[in-house]
């Protein structure tokens, strides 16, 4: 009897999740609801809460009521996040019609972020550049992007060179220096996006190979191709919604930390065979493939004589339901 109840609870949980995902997908597809992806992905823990509630051995109608309450709280939380992001500006959350492609409301004031060193600005392309100063030893990049394709390009003689190709997403760009040896670079997405195809928006960054780099990213629905093998990377922090991430780390820096928090994503990370690596994974519902790693504790895996070699990489993974591969090359 107990086993039957457990199976019933599991089926109920699966059904609830599938229904919610289906309703959301239909609304976005057919009604073109305006979604601020960078804020929506922050609510992914609600999926885990809903799964947990669905498995509680109580009356189904009670569970359903609790789930509805959670969704209401999530909607309120989402509205609060969007309001905080856009301040007092009017956010158009109405349902768009198919022929309504005027995403930029001229009455909406542009953000105050200063766009510095923008080389060109036509309808579809933005180019940004910051000259390299030999005194800069450390550089940090902060960027968010809703829907699109993102890539790390070949090295540049500048500190950074970036392009944003999109009819809909405009990027703010700001560089400031903390002392003489540290640069902080910030990209911010401006404007409003709809249910755009990822290939409609492309963002590429090329970096200087001399500084030690740190990255903080927030992505919504994106294809991410980040080859860091030419760069000294100390830290990569990434929050993903529904993304396909392919990341490669080189052997130019002794200690690298990678922290990835996902919703529903495909994550592939490539690390050098010679490096020691420790994985701390909290994605219990994810599919994991850690080739060449040995499990040393619950959710903890190590490889390459971690801690006893010159290069060590720590990878922290958390999220909802993802497909995660760690490969050694």
């Amino acid at each position: 009897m107990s086993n039957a109840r457990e199976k019933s609870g599991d089926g109920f949980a699966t059904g609830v999740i599938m229904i919610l995902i289906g309703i959301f997908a239909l609304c976005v597809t057919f009604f073109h609801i305006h979604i601020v992806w960078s804020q929506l992905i922050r609510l992914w823990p609600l999926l885990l809460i809903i799964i947990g509630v669905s498995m509680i051995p109580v009356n189904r109608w009670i569970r359903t009521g609790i789930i509805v309450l959670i969704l209401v709280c999530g909607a309120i939380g989402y509205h609060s996040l969007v309001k905080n992001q856009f301040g007092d500006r009017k956010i158009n959350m109405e349902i768009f019609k198919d022929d309504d492609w005027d995403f930029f409301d001229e009455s909406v004031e542009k953000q105050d972020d200063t766009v510095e060193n923008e080389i060109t600005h036509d309808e579809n392309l933005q180019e940004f550049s910051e000259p390299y100063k030999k005194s800069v030893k450390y550089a940090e990049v902060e960027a968010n992007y809703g829907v699109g394709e993102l890539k790390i390009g070949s090295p540049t003689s500048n500190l950074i060179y970036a392009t944003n190709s999109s009819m809909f997403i405009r990027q703010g760009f700001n560089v400031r220096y903390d002392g003489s040896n540290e640069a902080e670079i910030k990209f911010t997405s401006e404007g409003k996006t709809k249910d755009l195809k990822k290939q409609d928006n492309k963002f590429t960054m090329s970096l200087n190979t001399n500084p030690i780099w740190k990255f903080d990213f927030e992505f919504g629905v994106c294809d991410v191709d980040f080859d860091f093998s030419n760069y000294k990377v100390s830290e990569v922090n990434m929050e993903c919604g529904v993304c396909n991430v392919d990341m490669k780390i080189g052997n130019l820096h002794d200690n690298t930390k990678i922290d990835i928090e996902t919703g529903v994503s495909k994550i592939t990370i490539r690390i050098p065979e010679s490096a020691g690596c420790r994985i701390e994974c909290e994605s219990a519902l994810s599919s994991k493939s850690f080739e060449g790693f040995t499990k040393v504790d619950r959710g903890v895996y190590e490889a390459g004589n971690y801690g006893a070699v010159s290069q060590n990489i720590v990878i922290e993974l958390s999220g909802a339901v993802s497909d995660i591969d760690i490969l050694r090359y």
Side-chain angles (χ1 to χ4, degrees):
M1 188 71 168
S2 176
N3 290 337
R5 179 175 295 180
E6 289 178 3
K7 292 180 179 179
S8 176
D10 292 342
F12 183 76
T14 302
V16 169
I17 298 301
M18 295 302 292
I19 290 172
L20 292 176
I21 294 175
I23 291 175
F24 179 77
L26 284 174
C27 289
V28 172
T29 301
F30 291 105
F31 299 108
H32 304 302
I33 293 179
H34 175 85
I35 300 295
V36 183
W37 292 102
S38 62
Q39 301 302 334
L40 183 63
I41 62 175
R42 295 188 176 189
L43 300 176
W44 69 261
L46 289 179
L47 286 175
L48 299 181
I49 296 174
I50 291 172
I51 292 173
V53 171
S54 300
M55 293 181 176
I56 296 175
V58 295
N59 185 279
R60 288 185 176 182
W61 293 110
I62 296 177
R63 284 181 289 178
T64 302
I66 295 174
I67 290 172
V68 170
L69 180 60
I70 291 172
L71 292 175
V72 171
C73 293
I76 295 173
Y78 170 75
H79 180 269
S80 178
L81 288 172
V82 172
K83 184 177 180 181
N84 289 337
Q85 176 180 350
F86 291 93
D88 294 331
R89 292 175 299 160
K90 182 179 179 181
I91 306 301
N92 185 7
M93 301 299 291
E94 68 180 355
I95 295 177
F96 292 88
K97 297 180 180 179
D98 287 338
D99 58 351
D100 183 8
W101 285 86
D102 185 15
F103 300 131
F104 293 97
D105 187 347
E106 297 298 332
S107 66
V108 178
E109 296 180 3
K110 187 178 181 180
Q111 291 182 345
D112 292 332
D113 292 334
T114 303
V115 178
E116 299 178 352
N117 298 335
E118 182 177 342
I119 301 173
T120 62
H121 185 181
D122 58 29
E123 183 181 7
N124 300 321
L125 179 67
Q126 291 177 290
E127 296 180 73
F128 307 98
S129 178
E130 177 69 8
Y132 172 64
K133 301 176 182 179
K134 291 184 178 180
S135 61
V136 174
K137 305 299 181 184
Y138 306 94
E140 179 177 354
V141 174
E142 179 181 339
N144 63 73
Y145 214 81
V147 182
E149 298 178 358
L150 303 107
K151 185 177 182 179
I152 295 294
S154 302
T156 176
S157 59
N158 293 305
L159 175 62
I160 188 170
Y161 170 76
T163 62
N164 177 49
S165 177
S166 174
M167 293 180 62
F168 312 105
I169 297 177
R170 312 310 297 170
Q171 286 289 95
F173 177 68
N174 182 271
V175 180
R176 77 179 188 90
Y177 293 87
D178 187 0
S180 62
N181 67 346
E182 186 172 348
E184 298 179 0
I185 304 163
K186 186 174 183 179
F187 293 93
T188 53
S189 292
E190 303 171 357
K192 297 184 287 185
T193 60
K194 213 174 173 183
D195 57 331
L196 306 174
K197 297 179 180 178
K198 286 184 286 188
Q199 59 267 28
D200 290 338
N201 309 299
K202 297 182 180 180
F203 181 69
T204 302
M205 289 189 297
S206 293
L207 312 169
N208 191 284
T209 58
N210 292 313
I212 297 173
W213 290 90
K214 175 184 176 181
F215 303 93
D216 290 288
F217 299 121
E218 290 186 23
F219 300 140
V221 181
C222 296
D223 285 336
V224 181
D225 182 7
F226 282 174
D227 184 349
F228 293 116
S229 58
N230 292 316
Y231 306 105
K232 305 168 189 174
V233 178
S234 64
E235 190 171 341
V236 180
N237 301 305
M238 186 181 299
E239 293 184 18
C240 304
V242 182
C243 293
N244 182 11
V245 178
D246 193 328
M247 183 188 305
K248 184 178 182 180
I249 301 296
N251 57 3
L252 300 179
H253 192 61
D254 289 344
N255 295 288
T256 301
K257 179 183 177 183
I258 302 171
D259 188 344
I260 299 182
E261 183 176 336
T262 69
V264 181
S265 298
K266 163 68 175 175
I267 308 294
T268 301
I269 303 175
R270 308 171 196 275
I271 61 174
E273 181 73 31
S274 59
C277 185
R278 177 183 176 93
I279 301 172
E280 300 176 5
C281 184
E282 298 180 3
S283 300
L285 300 179
S286 296
S287 170
K288 301 178 285 289
S289 176
F290 302 153
E291 183 179 345
F293 285 80
T294 301
K295 186 174 183 179
V296 297
D297 201 350
R298 182 176 181 180
V300 180
Y301 307 80
E302 291 183 359
N305 202 17
Y306 171 77
V309 292
S310 59
Q311 182 186 13
N312 292 281
I313 300 171
V314 176
I315 302 175
E316 297 181 0
L317 304 166
S318 61
V321 182
S322 297
D323 185 1
I324 304 170
D325 293 331
I326 310 295
L327 308 175
R328 296 163 63 81
Y329 67 92

